[in-house]
Amino acid sequence: MKKIGLLFLLISAFVFGQQSALEQKINSIIKDKNATVGISVLGFENGFKYNKNADKKLPMQSVFKFHIAAAVLDYVDKGKLSLDQKILLDKTNLHENTWSPLRDKYPQGNVKVPLSEILEYTVAKSDNNGCDILLTLIGGTQTVQKFMNSKGVKGFQIKFNEEEMHKDWNAQYENYSTAVSATDVLKKFYDGKLLSKKSTDYLMKVMLSTSTGKNKLIEQLPENTPAARKTGASGKNNAGLTGAENEIAIITLPNGKHYALAVFVSNSTETDVVNCKMISDISKSVWDYFNK
């Protein structure tokens, strides 16, 4: 029994030492930065947890498009919507002066496209018009909130769509998540506790094809590392403040295991380059920890 107890203590000390090293590395990345940085790491198979400022309610920006897509796919699972159904794009829903690759593809509108295309543009390309079209289809942000509440997702709130956030800088702070909520919902998603297997596999594939924010979580990871991710960014206001520079992801390791990572950089006066580099460096540190 004494040998078993000693072995346990040695293993515990080793694990604590590694976690302490990760803590030191992350502290060195964010020190002296004029920003609030919320971080959560969750190892899926080994249950590893690392959290820093992870209970702070920070603005999601476009990270919420993951939650919206999940709510839309819940409607698909229930037969209320179909990914094949056609949605009319026109001047009423293809707004100008907002990030919209969908509008760039169909600048004149007056075309019907499948719901799947709108969802894929919304998640993988972070399309703002697509986002609001999806919200209109399911009855608004309150439908997303009720769905997440029903799945036991805590520390999450959604009140405003993209158009409303564009009109009021402060609205983004009402669309918040904690970092630990983000990794928790990603684990629920991965475990099939949010959606059917078909919808889970579909959304995972879409997230793996995300093309935005390549200078953030995936920048320093080995090429072609599977990362099912969703980015978010507010840009800067006239006072030079960044409300949010974010990313959440499920990352697959070379050994086939997985972890979720959420990094939320909020209320930062640092440059966009510095904000994104923080996320990139934190991601690399976590990757190195899991690959020791």
Side-chain angles (χ1 to χ4, degrees), residues 62 64-65 68 89 93-95 98-106 117-134 162 166 211-212 230-231:
S62 289
F64 77 166
K65 290 168 183 169
I68 292 166
L89 300 181
N93 56 24
L94 290 178
H95 299 140
T98 192
W99 173 256
S100 183
L102 195 63
R103 183 199 59 236
D104 295 342
K105 183 177 180 180
Y106 303 107
E117 184 172 358
I118 296 173
L119 189 147
E120 289 158 21
Y121 266 74
T122 298
V123 175
K125 298 181 185 297
S126 209
D127 195 289
N128 291 337
N129 284 325
C131 172
D132 288 357
I133 291 169
L134 294 180
E162 284 286 357
H166 275 68
S211 58
T212 56
K230 185 68 205 80
T231 59

mmCIF file of all heavy atoms in Angstrom, residues 62 64-65 68 89 93-95 98-106 117-134 162 166 211-212 230-231:
data_model
loop_
_atom_site.group_PDB
_atom_site.id
_atom_site.type_symbol
_atom_site.label_atom_id
_atom_site.label_comp_id
_atom_site.label_asym_id
_atom_site.label_seq_id
_atom_site.Cartn_x
_atom_site.Cartn_y
_atom_site.Cartn_z
ATOM 1 N N SER A 62 -18.462 36.648 -33.214
ATOM 2 C CA SER A 62 -18.942 35.598 -34.128
ATOM 3 C C SER A 62 -18.773 34.177 -33.622
ATOM 4 O O SER A 62 -19.249 33.237 -34.265
ATOM 5 C CB SER A 62 -18.245 35.732 -35.483
ATOM 6 O OG SER A 62 -18.718 36.881 -36.161
ATOM 7 N N PHE A 64 -20.492 33.092 -31.464
ATOM 8 C CA PHE A 64 -21.884 32.668 -31.241
ATOM 9 C C PHE A 64 -22.519 32.017 -32.465
ATOM 10 O O PHE A 64 -23.587 31.406 -32.367
ATOM 11 C CB PHE A 64 -22.727 33.824 -30.698
ATOM 12 C CG PHE A 64 -23.187 34.890 -31.676
ATOM 13 C CD1 PHE A 64 -24.192 35.791 -31.284
ATOM 14 C CD2 PHE A 64 -22.647 35.048 -32.933
ATOM 15 C CE1 PHE A 64 -24.654 36.781 -32.138
ATOM 16 C CE2 PHE A 64 -23.095 36.041 -33.807
ATOM 17 C CZ PHE A 64 -24.103 36.902 -33.407
ATOM 18 N N LYS A 65 -21.874 32.104 -33.602
ATOM 19 C CA LYS A 65 -22.407 31.450 -34.800
ATOM 20 C C LYS A 65 -22.347 29.926 -34.691
ATOM 21 O O LYS A 65 -23.107 29.230 -35.361
ATOM 22 C CB LYS A 65 -21.672 31.947 -36.050
ATOM 23 C CG LYS A 65 -22.019 33.401 -36.375
ATOM 24 C CD LYS A 65 -21.099 34.009 -37.413
ATOM 25 C CE LYS A 65 -21.456 35.489 -37.629
ATOM 26 N NZ LYS A 65 -20.462 36.212 -38.407
ATOM 27 N N ILE A 68 -25.555 29.277 -32.771
ATOM 28 C CA ILE A 68 -26.683 29.500 -33.682
ATOM 29 C C ILE A 68 -26.823 28.334 -34.649
ATOM 30 O O ILE A 68 -27.929 27.818 -34.873
ATOM 31 C CB ILE A 68 -26.508 30.836 -34.435
ATOM 32 C CG1 ILE A 68 -26.633 32.009 -33.467
ATOM 33 C CG2 ILE A 68 -27.533 30.967 -35.568
ATOM 34 C CD1 ILE A 68 -26.154 33.340 -34.025
ATOM 35 N N LEU A 89 -32.476 34.948 -51.261
ATOM 36 C CA LEU A 89 -31.561 36.036 -50.937
ATOM 37 C C LEU A 89 -31.957 37.256 -51.756
ATOM 38 O O LEU A 89 -32.123 37.162 -52.977
ATOM 39 C CB LEU A 89 -30.123 35.641 -51.267
ATOM 40 C CG LEU A 89 -29.542 34.425 -50.552
ATOM 41 C CD1 LEU A 89 -28.103 34.191 -50.986
ATOM 42 C CD2 LEU A 89 -29.623 34.569 -49.037
ATOM 43 N N ASN A 93 -32.125 40.984 -47.070
ATOM 44 C CA ASN A 93 -31.295 40.192 -46.146
ATOM 45 C C ASN A 93 -29.808 40.139 -46.535
ATOM 46 O O ASN A 93 -29.016 39.512 -45.839
ATOM 47 C CB ASN A 93 -31.859 38.777 -45.966
ATOM 48 C CG ASN A 93 -32.030 38.017 -47.277
ATOM 49 O OD1 ASN A 93 -31.364 38.297 -48.266
ATOM 50 N ND2 ASN A 93 -32.933 37.044 -47.264
ATOM 51 N N LEU A 94 -29.467 40.802 -47.651
ATOM 52 C CA LEU A 94 -28.054 40.912 -48.036
ATOM 53 C C LEU A 94 -27.583 42.341 -47.772
ATOM 54 O O LEU A 94 -27.412 43.144 -48.679
ATOM 55 C CB LEU A 94 -27.865 40.546 -49.518
ATOM 56 C CG LEU A 94 -28.064 39.074 -49.880
ATOM 57 C CD1 LEU A 94 -27.897 38.874 -51.383
ATOM 58 C CD2 LEU A 94 -27.110 38.169 -49.110
ATOM 59 N N HIS A 95 -27.399 42.648 -46.494
ATOM 60 C CA HIS A 95 -27.070 44.014 -46.111
ATOM 61 C C HIS A 95 -25.658 44.403 -46.560
ATOM 62 O O HIS A 95 -24.744 43.574 -46.581
ATOM 63 C CB HIS A 95 -27.192 44.178 -44.593
ATOM 64 C CG HIS A 95 -28.570 43.908 -44.086
ATOM 65 N ND1 HIS A 95 -28.814 43.229 -42.910
ATOM 66 C CD2 HIS A 95 -29.795 44.207 -44.606
ATOM 67 C CE1 HIS A 95 -30.116 43.135 -42.715
ATOM 68 N NE2 HIS A 95 -30.731 43.720 -43.740
ATOM 69 N N THR A 98 -21.188 45.140 -44.170
ATOM 70 C CA THR A 98 -20.959 44.108 -43.163
ATOM 71 C C THR A 98 -20.216 42.964 -43.825
ATOM 72 O O THR A 98 -20.287 42.803 -45.057
ATOM 73 C CB THR A 98 -22.293 43.625 -42.545
ATOM 74 O OG1 THR A 98 -22.017 42.832 -41.383
ATOM 75 C CG2 THR A 98 -23.119 42.802 -43.526
ATOM 76 N N TRP A 99 -19.501 42.181 -43.043
ATOM 77 C CA TRP A 99 -18.733 41.061 -43.591
ATOM 78 C C TRP A 99 -19.689 40.007 -44.143
ATOM 79 O O TRP A 99 -20.470 39.425 -43.397
ATOM 80 C CB TRP A 99 -17.849 40.457 -42.501
ATOM 81 C CG TRP A 99 -17.150 39.196 -42.913
ATOM 82 C CD1 TRP A 99 -17.490 37.925 -42.550
ATOM 83 C CD2 TRP A 99 -16.011 39.070 -43.774
ATOM 84 N NE1 TRP A 99 -16.629 37.009 -43.118
ATOM 85 C CE2 TRP A 99 -15.701 37.691 -43.879
ATOM 86 C CE3 TRP A 99 -15.212 39.990 -44.456
ATOM 87 C CZ2 TRP A 99 -14.642 37.216 -44.640
ATOM 88 C CZ3 TRP A 99 -14.158 39.517 -45.216
ATOM 89 C CH2 TRP A 99 -13.883 38.154 -45.304
ATOM 90 N N SER A 100 -19.653 39.788 -45.467
ATOM 91 C CA SER A 100 -20.598 38.854 -46.070
ATOM 92 C C SER A 100 -20.081 38.281 -47.384
ATOM 93 O O SER A 100 -20.398 38.775 -48.469
ATOM 94 C CB SER A 100 -21.958 39.541 -46.300
ATOM 95 O OG SER A 100 -22.893 38.616 -46.823
ATOM 96 N N PRO A 101 -19.299 37.210 -47.328
ATOM 97 C CA PRO A 101 -18.899 36.507 -48.551
ATOM 98 C C PRO A 101 -20.107 36.006 -49.347
ATOM 99 O O PRO A 101 -20.040 35.879 -50.566
ATOM 100 C CB PRO A 101 -18.055 35.335 -48.027
ATOM 101 C CG PRO A 101 -17.542 35.805 -46.707
ATOM 102 C CD PRO A 101 -18.654 36.634 -46.136
ATOM 103 N N LEU A 102 -21.210 35.752 -48.645
ATOM 104 C CA LEU A 102 -22.447 35.321 -49.312
ATOM 105 C C LEU A 102 -22.968 36.422 -50.239
ATOM 106 O O LEU A 102 -23.350 36.156 -51.379
ATOM 107 C CB LEU A 102 -23.498 34.976 -48.251
ATOM 108 C CG LEU A 102 -24.727 34.176 -48.676
ATOM 109 C CD1 LEU A 102 -24.342 32.791 -49.175
ATOM 110 C CD2 LEU A 102 -25.694 34.058 -47.493
ATOM 111 N N ARG A 103 -22.957 37.665 -49.752
ATOM 112 C CA ARG A 103 -23.372 38.804 -50.586
ATOM 113 C C ARG A 103 -22.391 39.006 -51.736
ATOM 114 O O ARG A 103 -22.788 39.335 -52.859
ATOM 115 C CB ARG A 103 -23.456 40.074 -49.738
ATOM 116 C CG ARG A 103 -23.947 41.316 -50.496
ATOM 117 C CD ARG A 103 -23.571 42.591 -49.774
ATOM 118 N NE ARG A 103 -22.130 42.695 -49.602
ATOM 119 C CZ ARG A 103 -21.534 42.860 -48.421
ATOM 120 N NH1 ARG A 103 -22.233 42.950 -47.316
ATOM 121 N NH2 ARG A 103 -20.212 42.939 -48.352
ATOM 122 N N ASP A 104 -21.104 38.793 -51.457
ATOM 123 C CA ASP A 104 -20.101 38.942 -52.520
ATOM 124 C C ASP A 104 -20.336 37.920 -53.632
ATOM 125 O O ASP A 104 -20.101 38.212 -54.808
ATOM 126 C CB ASP A 104 -18.697 38.762 -51.945
ATOM 127 C CG ASP A 104 -18.342 39.857 -50.942
ATOM 128 O OD1 ASP A 104 -19.017 40.910 -50.950
ATOM 129 O OD2 ASP A 104 -17.408 39.646 -50.147
ATOM 130 N N LYS A 105 -20.800 36.733 -53.256
ATOM 131 C CA LYS A 105 -21.060 35.689 -54.242
ATOM 132 C C LYS A 105 -22.339 35.982 -55.027
ATOM 133 O O LYS A 105 -22.419 35.705 -56.229
ATOM 134 C CB LYS A 105 -21.179 34.328 -53.551
ATOM 135 C CG LYS A 105 -21.378 33.169 -54.522
ATOM 136 C CD LYS A 105 -21.425 31.835 -53.792
ATOM 137 C CE LYS A 105 -21.626 30.682 -54.776
ATOM 138 N NZ LYS A 105 -21.669 29.362 -54.102
ATOM 139 N N TYR A 106 -23.342 36.543 -54.334
ATOM 140 C CA TYR A 106 -24.635 36.853 -54.977
ATOM 141 C C TYR A 106 -24.942 38.337 -54.802
ATOM 142 O O TYR A 106 -25.892 38.721 -54.105
ATOM 143 C CB TYR A 106 -25.756 36.019 -54.339
ATOM 144 C CG TYR A 106 -25.531 34.533 -54.380
ATOM 145 C CD1 TYR A 106 -25.195 33.815 -53.221
ATOM 146 C CD2 TYR A 106 -25.671 33.809 -55.566
ATOM 147 C CE1 TYR A 106 -25.006 32.441 -53.246
ATOM 148 C CE2 TYR A 106 -25.488 32.428 -55.599
ATOM 149 C CZ TYR A 106 -25.147 31.764 -54.440
ATOM 150 O OH TYR A 106 -24.957 30.391 -54.470
ATOM 151 N N GLU A 117 -26.078 25.944 -47.621
ATOM 152 C CA GLU A 117 -25.075 26.900 -48.094
ATOM 153 C C GLU A 117 -24.985 28.101 -47.156
ATOM 154 O O GLU A 117 -23.889 28.583 -46.843
ATOM 155 C CB GLU A 117 -25.393 27.363 -49.515
ATOM 156 C CG GLU A 117 -24.329 28.283 -50.095
ATOM 157 C CD GLU A 117 -24.545 28.604 -51.571
ATOM 158 O OE1 GLU A 117 -25.503 28.077 -52.177
ATOM 159 O OE2 GLU A 117 -23.743 29.385 -52.124
ATOM 160 N N ILE A 118 -26.127 28.556 -46.693
ATOM 161 C CA ILE A 118 -26.144 29.694 -45.764
ATOM 162 C C ILE A 118 -25.468 29.311 -44.453
ATOM 163 O O ILE A 118 -24.662 30.065 -43.901
ATOM 164 C CB ILE A 118 -27.586 30.180 -45.524
ATOM 165 C CG1 ILE A 118 -28.173 30.722 -46.829
ATOM 166 C CG2 ILE A 118 -27.622 31.248 -44.434
ATOM 167 C CD1 ILE A 118 -29.640 31.072 -46.758
ATOM 168 N N LEU A 119 -25.759 28.117 -43.954
ATOM 169 C CA LEU A 119 -25.155 27.665 -42.704
ATOM 170 C C LEU A 119 -23.638 27.528 -42.849
ATOM 171 O O LEU A 119 -22.874 27.952 -41.976
ATOM 172 C CB LEU A 119 -25.777 26.344 -42.266
ATOM 173 C CG LEU A 119 -25.397 25.845 -40.867
ATOM 174 C CD1 LEU A 119 -26.566 25.096 -40.239
ATOM 175 C CD2 LEU A 119 -24.175 24.938 -40.894
ATOM 176 N N GLU A 120 -23.207 26.974 -43.958
ATOM 177 C CA GLU A 120 -21.764 26.776 -44.172
ATOM 178 C C GLU A 120 -21.032 28.112 -44.304
ATOM 179 O O GLU A 120 -19.933 28.281 -43.763
ATOM 180 C CB GLU A 120 -21.550 25.885 -45.396
ATOM 181 C CG GLU A 120 -21.950 24.439 -45.126
ATOM 182 C CD GLU A 120 -22.261 23.630 -46.368
ATOM 183 O OE1 GLU A 120 -21.811 24.019 -47.473
ATOM 184 O OE2 GLU A 120 -22.960 22.607 -46.242
ATOM 185 N N TYR A 121 -21.629 29.079 -44.995
ATOM 186 C CA TYR A 121 -21.018 30.400 -45.092
ATOM 187 C C TYR A 121 -20.982 31.086 -43.720
ATOM 188 O O TYR A 121 -20.018 31.775 -43.386
ATOM 189 C CB TYR A 121 -21.789 31.277 -46.091
ATOM 190 C CG TYR A 121 -21.222 31.234 -47.499
ATOM 191 C CD1 TYR A 121 -21.407 30.118 -48.305
ATOM 192 C CD2 TYR A 121 -20.483 32.294 -48.016
ATOM 193 C CE1 TYR A 121 -20.891 30.060 -49.591
ATOM 194 C CE2 TYR A 121 -19.959 32.256 -49.302
ATOM 195 C CZ TYR A 121 -20.162 31.129 -50.082
ATOM 196 O OH TYR A 121 -19.635 31.084 -51.351
ATOM 197 N N THR A 122 -22.026 30.881 -42.936
ATOM 198 C CA THR A 122 -22.114 31.510 -41.620
ATOM 199 C C THR A 122 -21.038 30.993 -40.678
ATOM 200 O O THR A 122 -20.402 31.775 -39.956
ATOM 201 C CB THR A 122 -23.503 31.269 -41.006
ATOM 202 O OG1 THR A 122 -24.493 31.878 -41.848
ATOM 203 C CG2 THR A 122 -23.608 31.857 -39.611
ATOM 204 N N VAL A 123 -20.809 29.688 -40.682
ATOM 205 C CA VAL A 123 -19.839 29.093 -39.754
ATOM 206 C C VAL A 123 -18.421 29.153 -40.313
ATOM 207 O O VAL A 123 -17.518 29.715 -39.692
ATOM 208 C CB VAL A 123 -20.228 27.641 -39.414
ATOM 209 C CG1 VAL A 123 -19.155 26.988 -38.542
ATOM 210 C CG2 VAL A 123 -21.579 27.595 -38.715
ATOM 211 N N ALA A 124 -18.211 28.599 -41.492
ATOM 212 C CA ALA A 124 -16.854 28.447 -42.028
ATOM 213 C C ALA A 124 -16.257 29.765 -42.511
ATOM 214 O O ALA A 124 -15.041 29.950 -42.488
ATOM 215 C CB ALA A 124 -16.846 27.425 -43.162
ATOM 216 N N LYS A 125 -17.105 30.694 -42.958
ATOM 217 C CA LYS A 125 -16.629 31.991 -43.444
ATOM 218 C C LYS A 125 -17.100 33.152 -42.571
ATOM 219 O O LYS A 125 -16.847 34.310 -42.883
ATOM 220 C CB LYS A 125 -17.079 32.200 -44.894
ATOM 221 C CG LYS A 125 -16.519 31.158 -45.867
ATOM 222 C CD LYS A 125 -16.969 31.424 -47.294
ATOM 223 C CE LYS A 125 -16.517 30.341 -48.253
ATOM 224 N NZ LYS A 125 -15.049 30.245 -48.348
ATOM 225 N N SER A 126 -17.826 32.835 -41.506
ATOM 226 C CA SER A 126 -18.306 33.818 -40.528
ATOM 227 C C SER A 126 -19.158 34.918 -41.148
ATOM 228 O O SER A 126 -19.043 36.101 -40.807
ATOM 229 C CB SER A 126 -17.128 34.441 -39.764
ATOM 230 O OG SER A 126 -17.538 34.838 -38.475
ATOM 231 N N ASP A 127 -20.055 34.531 -42.044
ATOM 232 C CA ASP A 127 -20.890 35.492 -42.769
ATOM 233 C C ASP A 127 -21.941 36.119 -41.845
ATOM 234 O O ASP A 127 -22.735 35.424 -41.221
ATOM 235 C CB ASP A 127 -21.583 34.777 -43.938
ATOM 236 C CG ASP A 127 -22.167 35.745 -44.936
ATOM 237 O OD1 ASP A 127 -23.180 36.403 -44.610
ATOM 238 O OD2 ASP A 127 -21.611 35.861 -46.040
ATOM 239 N N ASN A 128 -21.952 37.449 -41.779
ATOM 240 C CA ASN A 128 -22.884 38.146 -40.895
ATOM 241 C C ASN A 128 -24.312 38.132 -41.424
ATOM 242 O O ASN A 128 -25.266 37.996 -40.646
ATOM 243 C CB ASN A 128 -22.432 39.586 -40.676
ATOM 244 C CG ASN A 128 -21.161 39.657 -39.855
ATOM 245 O OD1 ASN A 128 -20.836 38.742 -39.107
ATOM 246 N ND2 ASN A 128 -20.423 40.751 -39.998
ATOM 247 N N ASN A 129 -24.485 38.302 -42.725
ATOM 248 C CA ASN A 129 -25.838 38.233 -43.282
ATOM 249 C C ASN A 129 -26.414 36.829 -43.123
ATOM 250 O O ASN A 129 -27.581 36.659 -42.763
ATOM 251 C CB ASN A 129 -25.827 38.627 -44.758
ATOM 252 C CG ASN A 129 -25.697 40.128 -44.956
ATOM 253 O OD1 ASN A 129 -26.226 40.912 -44.174
ATOM 254 N ND2 ASN A 129 -24.976 40.536 -45.994
ATOM 255 N N GLY A 130 -25.582 35.829 -43.388
ATOM 256 C CA GLY A 130 -26.026 34.451 -43.217
ATOM 257 C C GLY A 130 -26.468 34.192 -41.789
ATOM 258 O O GLY A 130 -27.475 33.521 -41.539
ATOM 259 N N CYS A 131 -25.721 34.734 -40.845
ATOM 260 C CA CYS A 131 -26.051 34.587 -39.424
ATOM 261 C C CYS A 131 -27.461 35.085 -39.128
ATOM 262 O O CYS A 131 -28.262 34.390 -38.490
ATOM 263 C CB CYS A 131 -25.040 35.369 -38.598
ATOM 264 S SG CYS A 131 -25.429 35.494 -36.846
ATOM 265 N N ASP A 132 -27.764 36.294 -39.588
ATOM 266 C CA ASP A 132 -29.070 36.877 -39.281
ATOM 267 C C ASP A 132 -30.203 36.192 -40.037
ATOM 268 O O ASP A 132 -31.336 36.123 -39.544
ATOM 269 C CB ASP A 132 -29.052 38.382 -39.562
ATOM 270 C CG ASP A 132 -28.232 39.149 -38.519
ATOM 271 O OD1 ASP A 132 -27.731 38.508 -37.568
ATOM 272 O OD2 ASP A 132 -28.088 40.380 -38.659
ATOM 273 N N ILE A 133 -29.910 35.648 -41.216
ATOM 274 C CA ILE A 133 -30.909 34.862 -41.946
ATOM 275 C C ILE A 133 -31.259 33.607 -41.146
ATOM 276 O O ILE A 133 -32.430 33.251 -40.996
ATOM 277 C CB ILE A 133 -30.390 34.489 -43.353
ATOM 278 C CG1 ILE A 133 -30.298 35.737 -44.231
ATOM 279 C CG2 ILE A 133 -31.296 33.446 -44.014
ATOM 280 C CD1 ILE A 133 -29.546 35.531 -45.533
ATOM 281 N N LEU A 134 -30.248 32.958 -40.596
ATOM 282 C CA LEU A 134 -30.478 31.756 -39.779
ATOM 283 C C LEU A 134 -31.308 32.096 -38.546
ATOM 284 O O LEU A 134 -32.244 31.363 -38.190
ATOM 285 C CB LEU A 134 -29.148 31.138 -39.354
ATOM 286 C CG LEU A 134 -28.261 30.546 -40.448
ATOM 287 C CD1 LEU A 134 -26.981 29.972 -39.839
ATOM 288 C CD2 LEU A 134 -28.987 29.466 -41.242
ATOM 289 N N GLU A 162 -26.371 40.135 -35.542
ATOM 290 C CA GLU A 162 -25.245 40.894 -36.097
ATOM 291 C C GLU A 162 -25.632 42.324 -36.442
ATOM 292 O O GLU A 162 -24.881 43.261 -36.165
ATOM 293 C CB GLU A 162 -24.694 40.180 -37.347
ATOM 294 C CG GLU A 162 -23.853 38.957 -37.041
ATOM 295 C CD GLU A 162 -22.476 39.299 -36.505
ATOM 296 O OE1 GLU A 162 -22.140 40.489 -36.421
ATOM 297 O OE2 GLU A 162 -21.733 38.362 -36.154
ATOM 298 N N HIS A 166 -23.913 45.729 -34.933
ATOM 299 C CA HIS A 166 -23.272 46.739 -35.774
ATOM 300 C C HIS A 166 -23.772 48.149 -35.442
ATOM 301 O O HIS A 166 -23.051 49.129 -35.637
ATOM 302 C CB HIS A 166 -23.529 46.437 -37.256
ATOM 303 C CG HIS A 166 -22.553 45.455 -37.840
ATOM 304 N ND1 HIS A 166 -22.522 44.147 -37.457
ATOM 305 C CD2 HIS A 166 -21.572 45.607 -38.755
ATOM 306 C CE1 HIS A 166 -21.562 43.527 -38.129
ATOM 307 N NE2 HIS A 166 -20.965 44.381 -38.914
ATOM 308 N N SER A 211 -12.249 29.013 -42.649
ATOM 309 C CA SER A 211 -11.157 29.689 -43.366
ATOM 310 C C SER A 211 -10.750 31.012 -42.723
ATOM 311 O O SER A 211 -9.763 31.624 -43.132
ATOM 312 C CB SER A 211 -11.571 29.949 -44.821
ATOM 313 O OG SER A 211 -12.746 30.734 -44.883
ATOM 314 N N THR A 212 -11.484 31.461 -41.719
ATOM 315 C CA THR A 212 -11.168 32.738 -41.060
ATOM 316 C C THR A 212 -10.131 32.532 -39.952
ATOM 317 O O THR A 212 -9.966 31.434 -39.426
ATOM 318 C CB THR A 212 -12.436 33.362 -40.457
ATOM 319 O OG1 THR A 212 -13.039 32.416 -39.550
ATOM 320 C CG2 THR A 212 -13.443 33.728 -41.536
ATOM 321 N N LYS A 230 -14.287 27.983 -34.502
ATOM 322 C CA LYS A 230 -15.101 29.157 -34.809
ATOM 323 C C LYS A 230 -14.414 30.383 -34.239
ATOM 324 O O LYS A 230 -14.040 30.419 -33.071
ATOM 325 C CB LYS A 230 -16.508 29.025 -34.222
ATOM 326 C CG LYS A 230 -17.414 30.178 -34.637
ATOM 327 C CD LYS A 230 -17.736 30.134 -36.112
ATOM 328 C CE LYS A 230 -18.100 31.491 -36.696
ATOM 329 N NZ LYS A 230 -16.937 32.362 -37.002
ATOM 330 N N THR A 231 -14.248 31.373 -35.100
ATOM 331 C CA THR A 231 -13.568 32.609 -34.726
ATOM 332 C C THR A 231 -14.571 33.718 -34.417
ATOM 333 O O THR A 231 -15.762 33.624 -34.737
ATOM 334 C CB THR A 231 -12.664 33.085 -35.873
ATOM 335 O OG1 THR A 231 -13.476 33.302 -37.037
ATOM 336 C CG2 THR A 231 -11.600 32.057 -36.203
#
